[in-house]
Amino acid sequence: MKAAPHAQQRLIDLQELDSSLDRLAHRRRTLPELAEIERLEASLTELRDAIVAAETAVGDLDREQRKAEQDVDQVRSRAERDQKRLDSGQVTSAKDLSNIQNEITSLQRRQGDLEEVVLEVMERREEADARVGALRDERAKAQEELTALAARRDEAQRSIDDEAEMTRKARAGVAGDVPDDVLALYEKLRAQFGGVGAAVLHRGSCQGCRLALNTVDLNRIRAAAEDEVVRCEECRRILVRTPESGL
Ligand SMILES: [Zn+2]
């Protein structure tokens, strides 16, 4: 395969631009904002579930409170009814009077106990309410943070995309200077060898695989015509000679 020395140099320029594009794509994929957004979205999902659970608890306690209040009302009306009977003067038997009096006393005790229950449920309801409020605040904060992060991510991506666009334009210009068959080989090698298809031979070492070439290979490259496209025997990448190749 043949390519003028100038075209071979352009292959190295092309490699640098392609490596820049790879680095930009990697940076875009691994923006710290992306991991933070993922973490925040997960915690927002958890918060949503926690809010539903806390709201359900409030609803349950509401029902419990109403039930306890009804119990209090029931006991109170019964005591009132008893009191009216006493006040009416219609009950005359001493035994009945004493029974009614005893019932009123026991109903009052019962009412006191039930009122304690109401107070206790109200306290729990207040706590549950506060929990819903705290969770909603937390969710609002997380959503705000998410919005800010998304904006930062978009800005970072835009700047990467702008840089990539400029790099791609430069790449198109450089690629035009490389013969098609060399370009095709370069692309194939790039796909095969982690994005690096062409490397400089620098002081006897291939900059693609970082290995020093042996004397036989160096002699072979030294003997090759300057428009011959040579390859590294170790990694098979295209090797481009420069004045610093050590030949
Ligand atoms: Zn190599």
Side-chain angles (χ1 to χ4, degrees), residues 199 206-211 213 232-237 239:
C206 164
Q207 297 303 290
C209 62
R210 306 271 161 192
L211 291 174
L213 271 65
C232 170
E233 285 303 321
E234 300 296 337
C235 68
R236 302 305 299 148
R237 292 185 175 97
L239 264 184

Side-chain angles (χ1 to χ4, degrees), residues 73-117:
D73 287 346
Q74 227 169 19
V75 170
R76 195 175 35 226
S77 343
R78 189 153 163 199
E80 277 167 11
R81 227 167 30 236
D82 285 351
Q83 191 61 50
K84 271 183 195 150
R85 280 178 68 205
L86 277 187
D87 296 345
S88 70
Q90 283 166 353
V91 182
T92 48
S93 140
K95 194 173 168 252
D96 287 350
L97 284 171
S98 155
N99 278 346
I100 293 173
Q101 195 61 65
N102 285 343
E103 191 177 79
I104 288 174
T105 309
S106 116
L107 284 169
Q108 278 167 345
R109 207 168 31 237
R110 174 99 183 106
Q111 186 181 336
D113 291 346
L114 287 171
E115 279 167 351
E116 283 292 315
V117 171

